[in-house]
Amino acid sequence: MVAQNINKKERKIHSYKVLGTNQKKEALEELLNDPSQENFVLLSKKFDTTTRNLRRWFNQGYMRKGGCGRKKINPQGVIRLEEWILDETRKLGKKLSRNQIKEQAIKIFNIESFKASKAWMDKFIKEQNLKFKIKQILLEKGLLSKCQVLKHQQFQDSLKEKECERSTTKKQLKRIKLEEMKAKYIKGKLDQILTQDFEIGQNLIKQDTIKIGYNNKEDDMYFTASFDQEARSFGENYEEQLYLGFD
């Protein structure tokens, strides 16, 4: 018995990693090809998971069912518990102990499986911001020391700064988004106008080219006829004389 207890203490607890959808799918495909016990063990080592998980995915599928996950227990109970804590703080003029809060939580929730563990208590106090609310009540009653008042005021100032930073960041992000939307809208409008202007310009160029080309043709014909007539007045060798004249 002693040896067995020692072995249990010495035995290391193996922590398995959480597999993603793609890894589960890959494991299941390999199991479908070979659903033997040996393959379950091999894949358990390969994917660093338990054979129990592999069998569950093999029999029920690997996709997570809707509505899974831990749900908040009795949101109304959370509100009632917070109100009770703040009311008791005002009556007693001091902070309540964790055991007092735990006992009241178990009474309010009235669930057999609910034990109001330390982890639950830490999360509850943080989410409801109870430390700040309790200190604020004690501050109003003048029950905090000078050091506690100073720390509480510093904490308030830090909260205001963080809130101001968050507000400023939100405004900046909103302004940036609006400017991007405005720039995108203006660019779209400019592109549209430029495209229309380009098409209009192209049409005008085509029309002017047709007109200009026709006039140039008439001018060329008139210039050639008049030049030949004047050149021939030099005599039969007008081309040679013309050539010499250019030199």
Side-chain angles (χ1 to χ4, degrees), residues 38-236:
E38 292 78 7
N39 199 30
F40 272 96
V41 175
L42 289 173
L43 291 176
S44 172
K45 294 177 181 178
K46 178 181 176 180
F47 291 97
D48 195 18
T49 188
T50 62
T51 55
R52 181 179 179 182
N53 283 339
L54 291 172
R55 291 192 182 281
R56 177 163 53 83
W57 300 332
F58 184 77
N59 295 324
Q60 302 175 12
Y62 62 88
M63 295 302 293
R64 187 180 179 89
K65 294 180 176 60
C68 291
R70 182 172 292 180
K71 298 178 178 60
K72 288 188 176 181
I73 55 168
N74 193 355
Q76 288 297 324
V78 172
I79 296 171
R80 285 173 56 198
L81 180 61
E82 180 187 351
E83 289 176 349
W84 178 84
I85 292 169
L86 299 179
D87 288 342
E88 289 297 306
T89 303
R90 291 188 186 93
K91 289 177 185 177
L92 301 174
K94 64 178 182 180
K95 293 192 298 183
L96 301 179
S97 68
R98 286 206 165 208
N99 285 334
Q100 288 175 310
I101 297 172
K102 180 177 180 178
E103 289 174 4
Q104 187 64 21
I106 291 172
K107 287 179 184 177
I108 290 174
F109 292 117
N110 193 24
I111 300 172
E112 186 176 353
S113 59
F114 177 69
K115 305 298 181 184
S117 64
K118 181 182 182 300
W120 178 89
M121 187 79 69
D122 291 340
K123 186 178 179 182
F124 167 73
I125 291 171
K126 184 178 180 180
E127 286 182 349
Q128 306 310 122
N129 198 17
L130 280 177
K131 286 185 178 180
F132 176 81
K133 292 175 182 178
I134 289 169
K135 281 190 177 180
Q136 189 65 29
I137 291 170
L138 297 177
L139 176 66
E140 291 169 0
K141 286 182 169 291
L143 298 172
L144 292 180
S145 64
K146 290 183 179 180
C147 182
Q148 288 175 326
V149 170
L150 181 61
K151 286 183 179 179
H152 185 63
Q153 288 176 345
Q154 288 174 347
F155 183 70
Q156 281 182 309
D157 293 338
S158 66
L159 285 179
K160 288 178 181 177
E161 287 178 5
K162 287 179 182 178
E163 185 62 32
C164 184
E165 287 175 2
R166 282 196 293 267
S167 178
T168 304
T169 304
K170 286 179 182 178
K171 288 179 181 178
Q172 288 174 345
L173 291 173
K174 188 176 180 181
R175 190 181 299 112
I176 290 168
K177 190 174 181 180
L178 287 172
E179 288 176 354
E180 288 176 351
M181 290 172 66
K182 184 179 178 182
K184 189 176 180 181
Y185 175 78
I186 293 171
K187 185 178 181 301
K189 283 293 181 184
L190 286 174
D191 290 344
Q192 186 179 356
I193 292 168
L194 289 172
T195 303
Q196 290 174 353
D197 288 350
F198 179 77
E199 291 174 353
I200 293 169
Q202 288 291 95
N203 291 333
L204 291 172
I205 289 169
K206 287 178 183 177
Q207 293 173 10
D208 291 342
T209 302
I210 293 168
K211 291 178 182 178
I212 293 166
Y214 180 76
N215 293 333
N216 285 346
K217 188 176 181 181
E218 285 185 343
D219 293 342
D220 288 344
M221 289 172 68
Y222 174 77
F223 176 77
T224 303
S226 60
F227 178 78
D228 284 345
Q229 186 177 0
E230 291 181 9
R232 288 181 190 281
S233 64
F234 288 98
E236 294 181 356

Side-chain angles (χ1 to χ4, degrees), residues 233-244:
S233 64
F234 288 98
E236 294 181 356
N237 298 324
Y238 74 92
E239 291 182 355
E240 184 178 352
Q241 292 179 31
L242 179 67
Y243 178 76
L244 291 172

